[in-house]
Amino acid sequence: MEAISSFRNRYGAILTTYVFVGCATWLIGMIVAPQLLMVQKSLMYSDPAAAAAVSQTKASTDRLFVEKGRAEREVRKVEADIQAGGAAEADQSGGGVFNPFGSSGNQNAGASVEELEARRDELIARLGQIDDEIAANDSALVDAEKAAQPRLGLQNYFELFSNDANRPIFFKTIWSSILVTLIALIVCYPVAFYLAVSASKETTALLMLGLIVPYWVNEILRTFSWLMLLSSNGLINQALIGIGLADTPIDWRSGNSAVLIGMVYAYILFMVFPIYNTVETLDKNQIEAARDLGAPRWMIHWTVVIPHAKPGIAVGCIMTFMLAAGSYAVPVMLGSTTSKWFTEIIYDQFYEGGNWGLGSAYAFVLLITCILFIMMMMRLFRVNLQDIAK
Amino acid sequence: MTDTTLTHRTGSIPAIGDWFMERLPGIYMVLFFLYMFLPLVFMMIAAFNTTAVPPTALPFEGFTLKWFGALFANAPLLAAIGNSLVIGLGVIVLSLTLGLSGALLITRLHARSKSALYAILVSPLLTPGIILGISTLVFWNSAGIPGGLFVATLAQSTFIASYCMLMFIARLQRFDSGLEEAALDLGASHQQVFWHVTVPFLKPTIITAGLIAFLQSFENFNTTVFAIGTETTLTIKLAALARKTPTPEVNALAVIFIALTVVMAILYEVKRRSDAAREKVMAERAKQAEKEMVSLDIDKVAATTAA
């Protein structure tokens, strides 16, 4: 409150209103509240068995109502026959209409009035039964619906760890994302170092411009370029067969290899830029001095450059891991049914399976994983959030 | 200076070893750039190849432009581009508005809660995109609004506003708040100060941030795919097309995209250089002015002491 009033004295009522309303809308309405609602949704568990019981009971009631309608129609018909006293029409009464007691009676061309009356009594008794069954179903439905009602619980989270199909995919996603991060780090560190230290200013400007282009090219298109290269008659298979390394085209997409290759390519530049930015601020004389004192190359990197580049390395790793673990574009395009990614499982919960509670729980597990990874990197590299946001 | 140990180790052919070690970084960079660009180049070549399905760069069977024609005749794809544009414009407005409010509050608030506020407003950048899409979808769905263009716009703005905010903060940190004070002292109203002092100073950032917000929105996939419901955008359509039945139309679109990106990157670089040059001139002028003021002071002091 104090902040608001001092802000208003300085900037006037309208501007103050804009700033505070804008921030509140963004902070509460777009960041905090949606996340909380997602977590709340993830804690609402509905028993799939109870849900199945509900739909079963409903279907059974529907069937009973159909049967009831048919029986009532037949009763009217039989009564009309009795009124007419004729037996000739009776043989048509059963044709095509539902008959719960077989064909006896109706098919008899010369059915007597007594027989018709017996038939009517039978039907009326059955109608009573049907009414009882419907009533029983209705009360069962109330119970089943109560049981199927989503209730607060951690079952959605337990589900992930007891589900033998999804749990391995979750861990695979984590390990693969770490692998992608490591590969990107190893490939990018020399690039960032070269750009920041070895190359002349003009060369660096030109090369950076060259890197901005693929960086801004759509993720889908970057992935599509590898989809073309890795397809069964793509250039990579053409080349491998051409130089005799393979006899038949390799099916990259059936395993995880295509997804991993695509991810490294799609997210590698998120590693280059942060590392470049930190190495660039290093005083080049330090490298010079270390070299003059006879430090071998690896030692210069290990004791001078890398300690200085820590925040950049941390940011690069965090971004790459986060993008890889949360990627839906790359696995959905380069993967196959045998190489599912955790995000695809989440998508199925929202758009294929329809269990949003489970989907929310999976999503929250992914979020927690990323937060844990960020905290781990911050601890490991001793950097704080302010450094990261730079 | 050079690695003497290595020269010894390579023994009889030190010259080649030296030559190789010296060129190694350069060779590595060439390989890296080939790795970055070759897939894109092959993708672009396939857009001009007459081979239809699947699109491929080699063998190149003949030059054609028909895929571009097919692209512009593809009505669903054009409709998807329309949706992307609508979302993009919404994201520009929303992200600039929210980002600026966040930046103003953070740079001008003198309170302890500042760093917490900063952490929360930056957090969407460190959140996987799909989580933002899901949480926004769940939130608006509970209010009875299903996924669609509106929800996608909000979901994207959640993190794009953070980008805008960071850019505004960087600009505001170089802002001399004395200018605002001076205008207020001279009798300007708060609104006048904002529109005639603050906004003109922020204008370059408003333009770049708006451009970046639009680009981010236009090519977003991971957030949008969850928030969009049954609607479609260009990236959604593109992913479906590329995955199921890729035709060289996708490649033709890629050519257009990459060409636009290259043009924009060059424009950005030109602008950056001219800005840097202008700033340099300004800085020199400021230094010059300061020097003159100091010498004036000295003259004054000299005059008074003389008197």
Side-chain angles (χ1 to χ4, degrees):
Chain A
M1 282 306 110
E2 205 182 301
I4 295 179
S5 68
S6 79
F7 207 90
R8 202 187 54 211
N9 287 341
R10 184 73 177 73
Y11 299 104
I14 296 178
L15 202 55
T16 306
T17 312
Y18 156 62
V19 165
F20 279 87
V21 168
C23 279
T25 311
W26 184 17
L27 186 109
I28 299 167
M30 291 168 73
I31 301 175
V32 176
Q35 297 288 344
L36 287 180
L37 218 71
M38 186 183 85
V39 172
Q40 191 236 15
K41 188 115 211 158
S42 76
L43 292 172
M44 298 307 278
Y45 173 76
S46 56
D47 188 6
V54 168
S55 56
Q56 243 167 31
T57 317
K58 275 185 181 158
S60 149
T61 308
D62 287 346
R63 273 198 306 277
L64 286 169
F65 269 112
V66 172
E67 192 186 337
K68 187 181 172 183
R70 280 174 181 168
E72 278 170 346
R73 249 176 286 144
E74 201 187 339
V75 167
R76 278 198 295 276
K77 187 102 183 170
V78 171
E79 269 175 351
D81 290 346
I82 294 169
Q83 293 276 314
E89 296 100 317
D91 56 16
Q92 277 143 17
S93 66
V97 184
F98 178 73
N99 182 0
F101 305 105
S103 54
S104 67
N106 286 358
Q107 240 61 50
N108 285 339
S112 63
V113 174
E114 287 78 38
E115 276 171 331
L116 284 170
E117 275 173 350
R119 171 78 186 138
R120 183 195 59 193
D121 293 345
E122 255 178 279
L123 282 167
I124 287 171
R126 174 65 192 146
L127 275 171
Q129 268 179 4
I130 290 176
D131 281 340
D132 288 348
E133 278 172 37
I134 289 175
N137 263 355
D138 281 348
S139 70
L141 188 64
V142 172
D143 290 343
E145 269 177 343
K146 208 179 278 170
Q149 201 130 69
R151 82 190 87 204
L152 223 54
L154 287 168
Q155 281 89 336
N156 283 331
Y157 292 91
F158 298 147
E159 203 274 353
L160 172 61
F161 294 98
S162 60
N163 186 324
D164 289 332
N166 296 347
R167 189 191 51 233
I169 293 177
F170 171 67
F171 287 113
K172 182 201 83 178
T173 303
I174 306 298
W175 284 119
S176 306
S177 303
I178 291 175
L179 187 65
V180 168
T181 310
L182 271 179
I183 294 173
L185 178 62
I186 292 166
V187 174
C188 288
Y189 177 77
V191 175
F193 180 79
Y194 181 86
L195 285 173
V197 177
S198 307
S200 71
K201 248 199 159 107
E202 278 305 300
T203 320
T204 303
L206 200 69
L207 293 182
M208 289 302 274
L209 196 61
L211 287 183
I212 284 174
V213 173
Y215 180 77
W216 275 112
V217 170
N218 202 307
E219 187 183 357
I220 302 286
L221 291 177
R222 265 184 286 169
T223 312
F224 178 65
S225 71
W226 277 92
L227 182 67
M228 285 175 58
L229 290 177
L230 292 172
S231 66
S232 57
N233 61 343
L235 286 184
I236 290 182
N237 274 325
Q238 283 183 30
L240 286 179
I241 293 171
I243 57 174
L245 277 176
D247 302 325
T248 50
I250 297 170
D251 185 9
W252 301 94
R253 288 175 65 189
S254 68
N256 293 316
S257 42
V259 176
L260 292 186
I261 293 171
M263 283 208 178
V264 171
Y265 183 74
Y267 305 126
I268 202 162
L269 290 172
F270 290 88
M271 187 70 93
V272 174
F273 291 129
I275 300 183
Y276 165 79
N277 284 337
T278 46
V279 176
E280 210 239 335
T281 58
L282 174 70
D283 184 358
K284 311 298 176 291
N285 290 328
Q286 287 190 23
I287 300 174
E288 216 46 40
R291 202 177 285 159
D292 288 349
L293 291 171
R297 229 170 258 201
W298 65 267
M299 205 173 174
I300 296 175
H301 284 284
W302 190 249
T303 56
V304 179
V305 186
I306 291 180
H308 185 82
K310 264 182 182 177
I313 294 174
V315 174
C317 289
I318 287 170
M319 291 306 287
T320 312
F321 177 84
M322 191 264 285
L323 288 168
S327 171
Y328 181 70
V330 178
V332 90
M333 285 178 69
L334 285 176
S336 61
T337 46
T338 53
S339 58
K340 282 229 166 193
W341 206 250
F342 192 53
T343 49
E344 292 178 275
I345 307 272
I346 299 177
Y347 184 86
D348 290 348
Q349 294 302 333
F350 278 92
Y351 286 102
E352 312 283 329
N355 191 342
W356 283 32
L358 209 56
S360 297
Y362 284 13
F364 192 61
V365 168
L366 181 66
L367 180 63
I368 293 294
T369 308
C370 288
I371 291 174
L372 285 179
F373 186 84
I374 291 173
M375 283 165 63
M376 201 181 77
M377 294 310 279
M378 279 162 66
R379 175 74 55 93
L380 197 64
F381 288 98
R382 299 211 169 80
V383 292
N384 57 37
L385 200 66
Q386 228 85 5
D387 297 325
I388 290 173
K390 265 194 300 201
Chain B
M1 278 291 283
T2 48
D3 268 15
T4 45
T5 47
L6 194 112
T7 320
H8 288 306
R9 222 177 289 143
T10 41
S12 58
I13 41 165
I16 293 175
D18 267 355
W19 181 90
F20 183 72
M21 282 313 285
E22 238 166 70
R23 300 271 178 306
L24 187 61
I27 295 169
Y28 188 81
M29 289 305 285
V30 170
L31 287 179
F32 182 77
F33 272 83
L34 285 179
Y35 168 66
M36 286 319 310
F37 278 96
L38 274 186
L40 300 181
V41 169
F42 285 132
M43 179 165 62
M44 300 213 301
I45 292 174
F48 302 100
N49 193 350
T50 42
T51 312
V53 179
T56 178
L58 296 171
F60 195 81
E61 284 174 357
F63 181 86
T64 179
L65 288 175
K66 68 176 169 185
W67 305 119
F68 288 87
L71 177 66
F72 289 112
N74 190 333
L77 202 64
L78 294 180
I81 292 180
N83 281 347
S84 286
L85 289 176
V86 169
I87 294 179
L89 291 178
V91 166
I92 291 182
V93 173
L94 207 54
S95 304
L96 287 181
T97 314
L98 298 176
L100 181 59
S101 74
L104 286 173
L105 193 57
I106 282 173
T107 47
R108 295 166 180 204
L109 191 67
H110 304 288
R112 245 174 275 127
S113 50
K114 202 165 106 170
S115 58
L117 181 72
Y118 182 81
I120 298 177
L121 293 184
V122 168
S123 70
L125 292 180
L126 298 172
T127 310
I130 73 161
I131 308 283
L132 299 175
I134 291 171
S135 58
T136 313
L137 177 74
V138 169
F139 181 74
W140 287 99
N141 209 75
S142 72
I145 295 172
L149 301 188
F150 174 74
V151 175
T153 308
L154 286 173
Q156 290 182 2
S157 301
T158 308
F159 77 95
I160 296 178
S162 305
Y163 277 115
C164 295
M165 184 184 81
L166 289 179
M167 295 171 77
F168 281 127
I169 287 179
R171 181 79 182 163
L172 282 170
Q173 272 166 353
R174 285 188 287 155
F175 183 59
D176 181 4
S177 61
L179 289 175
E180 284 180 340
E181 272 163 44
L184 281 175
D185 288 347
L186 292 171
S189 73
H190 291 295
Q191 276 71 259
Q192 280 175 322
V193 173
F194 183 68
W195 288 113
H196 295 290
V197 179
T198 318
V199 169
F201 176 79
L202 290 174
K203 208 172 131 197
T205 310
I206 293 175
I207 294 169
T208 6
L211 197 69
I212 287 191
F214 182 78
L215 284 176
Q216 286 275 359
S217 162
F218 201 72
E219 44 188 60
N220 183 277
F221 179 76
N222 290 322
T223 301
T224 314
V225 77
F226 279 86
I228 200 71
T230 53
E231 298 276 349
T232 179
T233 66
L234 179 63
T235 46
I236 307 278
K237 193 93 202 155
L238 207 55
L241 212 64
R243 185 174 44 149
K244 287 191 196 119
T245 48
T247 65
E249 286 169 47
V250 178
N251 300 69
L253 196 66
V255 170
I256 296 173
F257 256 101
I258 294 172
L260 284 177
T261 313
V262 170
V263 170
M264 238 162 349
I266 291 172
L267 284 180
Y268 176 78
E269 181 64 13
V270 168
K271 188 181 172 303
R272 197 187 61 81
R273 283 189 187 191
S274 75
D275 279 357
R278 196 187 321 140
E279 217 130 281
K280 209 170 163 190
V281 172
M282 294 287 256
E284 251 159 44
R285 223 180 274 165
K287 210 183 269 172
Q288 191 66 34
E290 209 167 287
K291 218 183 276 168
E292 274 164 20
M293 281 215 317
V294 170
S295 61
L296 266 177
D297 279 350
I298 291 172
D299 288 348
K300 216 185 277 169
V301 171
T304 42
T305 43

